[in-house]
Amino acid sequence: DAGVTQSPTHLIKTRGQQVTLRCSPISGHKSVSWYQQVLGQGPQFIFQYYEKEERGRGNFPDRFSARQFPNYSSELNVNALLLGDSALYLCASSILWVNTEAFFGQGTRLTVV
Amino acid sequence: GIQVEQSPPDLILQEGANSTLRCNFSDSVNNLQWFHQNPWGQLINLFYIPSGTKQNGRLSATTVATERYSLLYISSSQTTDSGVYFCAVPHSYGNEKLTFGTGTRLTIIP
């Protein structure tokens, strides 16, 4: 079975641009979460979606938004990119939204120049 | 929210050595996960261990939920064990938004 897949793997954007990152969860998993990991730190929670509804939002500005589609895949959008948005963006999927193991994709490495 | 601390922050060992990594958390949790982040950034699941002890080959983990800590043991280290090890717990009890520790960077020297 395929694991969590993310695209693209690498991305370079200019300040002020917008970016869309994509995630396909493990088959049968209905929950998708997004995390940001800056160099030298642990991942920080951004969003969680379950059954196409937002279940949680971390401490990130409104420039960050996400959605989940009927097939449970998800997109993370970031508007008006700042240099500080450069990071590894990780997607995690789980069967349910509570009390279950989370599995992570390989990440999208975003560089803002 | 919950606080998660890992120790030591860095660990350098010879191939074949054993190691113990520690994760302390500030509140009750209903699950805990250990991950290994490889040099390419992928978080690899090691253990899902809310309590008790689990073993998988050369790795084992123990979580003592009542005392709010978990330990990851790596025996007979190999160079492929190098990387950063994270523990992660729910942001609050019953909430699956994970809070990660600061990680332990393990370097295995041949």
Side-chain angles (χ1 to χ4, degrees):
Chain A
D1 284 342
V4 181
T5 58
Q6 293 186 241
S7 63
T9 54
H10 295 83
L11 203 51
I12 300 175
K13 289 286 189 179
T14 303
R15 277 180 300 173
Q17 286 188 316
Q18 175 264 343
V19 67
T20 298
L21 311 181
R22 296 176 175 82
C23 172
S24 293
I26 294 170
S27 177
H29 286 199
K30 298 181 178 181
S31 174
V32 170
S33 298
W34 288 94
Y35 291 80
Q36 181 196 65
Q37 186 179 21
V38 299
L39 200 60
Q41 298 182 19
Q44 299 289 318
F45 171 79
I46 310 175
F47 286 109
Q48 182 187 37
Y49 277 79
Y50 178 73
E51 290 280 20
K52 302 179 289 295
E53 291 188 5
E54 182 182 302
R55 290 288 185 169
R57 173 187 286 255
N59 189 23
F60 281 81
D62 291 344
R63 299 185 296 106
F64 289 76
S65 63
R67 55 180 175 170
Q68 186 177 32
F69 298 99
N71 66 353
Y72 303 110
S73 66
S74 178
E75 286 182 352
L76 175 70
N77 295 286
V78 187
N79 293 323
L81 285 166
L82 303 174
L83 296 180
D85 295 330
S86 295
L88 179 67
Y89 289 84
L90 295 161
C91 172
S93 83
S94 54
I95 292 176
L96 301 173
W97 74 290
V98 290
N99 296 331
T100 56
E101 188 174 3
F103 296 87
F104 284 79
Q106 82 281 12
T108 293
R109 195 168 296 278
L110 172 65
T111 302
V112 183
V113 297
Chain B
I2 197 166
Q3 305 299 313
V4 184
E5 295 182 354
Q6 291 185 242
S7 60
D10 291 280
L11 192 56
I12 301 174
L13 298 171
Q14 289 287 139
E15 199 168 21
N18 302 328
S19 58
T20 301
L21 283 57
R22 187 177 180 102
C23 172
N24 292 330
F25 40 94
S26 61
D27 206 346
S28 300
V29 298
N30 60 324
N31 80 58
L32 183 144
Q33 291 189 240
W34 281 98
F35 297 93
H36 174 209
Q37 189 165 42
N38 65 22
W40 297 272
Q42 173 102 44
L43 280 171
I44 298 166
N45 289 45
L46 298 178
F47 294 101
Y48 176 75
I49 183 167
S51 63
T53 297
K54 290 186 177 180
Q55 180 153 8
N56 184 2
R58 297 182 295 104
L59 275 61
S60 65
T62 295
T63 296
V64 184
T66 54
E67 296 187 23
R68 301 178 184 173
Y69 74 88
S70 183
L71 301 174
L72 177 68
Y73 306 95
I74 305 174
S75 64
S76 304
S77 298
Q78 301 175 358
T79 55
T80 51
D81 295 331
S82 295
V84 183
Y85 290 79
F86 289 102
C87 66
V89 298
H91 179 72
S92 56
Y93 194 88
N95 184 316
E96 292 309 299
K97 293 171 275 189
L98 294 176
T99 296
F100 283 76
T102 49
T104 292
R105 180 173 298 278
L106 177 64
T107 303
I108 304 299
I109 301 171

